[in-house]
Amino acid sequence: MTKISNRLIVFCLMLLCLICPASAYTTNYYWNAHSVGYTIDSSIPSGYTNSVKAAANSWTNSGAYFSYYWSVNSNNKVQYSSFGSGSNALGTCTPTIYTGTTRLSKILIKLNSDYSSSLSTSTPCPSGKYDVLSVLTHEFGHGVGLGHSTSTTATMFKNINSGTVDKRSLEQDDKNGIIAIYGT
């Protein structure tokens, strides 16, 4: 009876693996290096600087063979600017790809200044406000080459809720995504 029970358990586990998706993340492009610099533009409010650095460090500390580092002279920039009327994006990451490849040559991360009254660096994040660190952690995730995740708990999920700080730290799906690109 034990032999049959063990086989049934193994069979059920194998079936479960076939039913459950192996990952929810998507990858779009990658850096040819394992260490990438970024510059914090003077347009970033001084109160947001620690959030910028913490967002980059989340990916550096993901367990992948990849790191971000702050540099005065990097072509990769983090800016604070208006996206114009009609945009509901809190942030963006615009990649520049080497022609004919999927290799990154530069990124531009922007935080939307049109939402200045709706952004917060407070813990906990006040109701009706959006957490700057969560937004930037998501955008730095695009900067490593990740697309949006279908896992609603992942930092790389396409939406963020106001009044929360849950996207400040990476979930396993986020870590699996960056490790899939750069290894450990």
Side-chain angles (χ1 to χ4, degrees):
M1 189 69 166
T2 304
K3 201 171 196 176
I4 294 173
S5 296
N6 287 343
R7 285 183 182 168
L8 182 59
I9 290 170
V10 170
F11 175 76
C12 288
L13 288 173
M14 288 173 41
L15 187 59
L16 186 61
C17 288
L18 293 173
I19 295 170
C20 297
S23 63
Y25 63 85
T26 59
T27 58
N28 295 329
Y29 34 78
Y30 66 97
W31 290 99
N32 204 29
H34 291 278
S35 188
V36 174
Y38 67 92
T39 295
I40 301 172
D41 189 75
S42 62
S43 61
I44 292 287
S46 60
Y48 293 178
T49 301
N50 287 338
S51 293
V52 173
K53 291 178 179 179
N57 285 338
S58 290
W59 294 100
T60 295
N61 298 322
S62 67
Y65 182 41
F66 180 88
S67 63
Y68 277 120
Y69 63 91
W70 178 82
S71 170
V72 177
N73 298 319
S74 178
N75 288 329
N76 304 308
K77 299 198 182 316
V78 182
Q79 296 179 340
Y80 186 67
S81 62
S82 171
F83 289 13
S85 62
S87 175
N88 61 358
L90 296 169
T92 61
C93 178
T94 305
T96 302
I97 310 295
Y98 285 108
T99 305
T101 73
T102 56
R103 288 187 304 121
L104 284 160
S105 64
K106 181 170 70 171
I107 57 169
L108 174 59
I109 294 174
K110 289 186 180 181
L111 192 60
N112 192 345
S113 63
D114 299 328
Y115 283 93
S116 62
S117 63
S118 299
L119 296 172
S120 173
T121 57
S122 298
T123 304
C125 186
S127 177
K129 302 274 186 180
Y130 294 95
D131 182 47
V132 171
L133 178 50
S134 294
V135 172
L136 289 170
T137 302
H138 176 90
E139 298 309 333
F140 270 103
H142 287 310
V144 301
L146 289 174
H148 287 136
S149 173
T150 58
S151 173
T152 59
T153 60
T155 297
M156 294 311 298
F157 186 67
K158 64 181 176 177
N159 295 329
I160 184 173
N161 294 319
S162 64
T164 64
V165 295
D166 58 332
K167 304 295 184 181
R168 286 181 175 184
S169 59
L170 304 183
E171 294 297 319
Q172 192 60 52
D173 186 65
D174 303 307
K175 293 174 184 179
N176 291 346
I178 188 172
I179 289 169
I181 300 171
Y182 300 101
T184 55

